[in-house]
Amino acid sequence: MITIDDFVKVDMRVGTILETTLNEKARKPAYKLIIDFGEELGVKTSSAQLTELYTEEQLEGRQIIAVVNFPPRRVAGVKSEVLVLGTDSEQGTVLLAVSEMVKNGDRIY
């Protein structure tokens, strides 16, 4: 069990995917995502294994939810600055999303 204090340390924000390209260096198929998190956080990069259910065209312009306060790490040659959130479903990773368009950078509670 975690406490509410533990939970609020996880900074989850809404961002809009600006650009999607195939991450050619990834062992498992993945995309390199360029995501806009608004004025406060700016534009961040992530590598995400979303190729089973989403095309590049389906992802661009889509709002997603990501953890933005993990330290950056290298994933198959990509500086991954945020962790895009999704379910671990039998059909593949299904993105978490907001039900209405909101401002980039809005915090998830």
Side-chain angles (χ1 to χ4, degrees), residues 20-100:
T20 306
T21 55
L22 195 59
N23 184 350
E24 300 283 346
K25 295 181 181 179
R27 283 181 284 146
K28 293 182 180 178
Y31 291 123
K32 175 183 175 184
L33 306 175
I34 308 297
I35 307 166
D36 180 4
F37 287 98
E39 231 175 86
E40 180 185 347
L41 296 173
V43 175
K44 304 286 183 185
T45 304
S46 185
S47 180
Q49 296 174 354
L50 302 171
T51 60
E52 289 180 312
L53 296 180
Y54 303 97
T55 65
E56 294 175 30
E57 295 78 19
Q58 288 172 317
L59 291 172
E60 289 180 10
R62 184 182 195 117
Q63 284 197 308
I64 52 85
I65 298 168
V67 176
V68 298
N69 65 335
F70 286 141
R73 59 183 235 185
R74 280 262 171 233
V75 178
V78 172
K79 181 181 177 185
S80 195
E81 300 173 286
V82 300
L83 176 65
V84 176
L85 298 178
T87 66
D88 184 15
S89 300
E90 65 181 46
Q91 69 267 41
T93 301
V94 176
L95 288 170
L96 298 187
V98 292
S99 61
E100 295 185 31

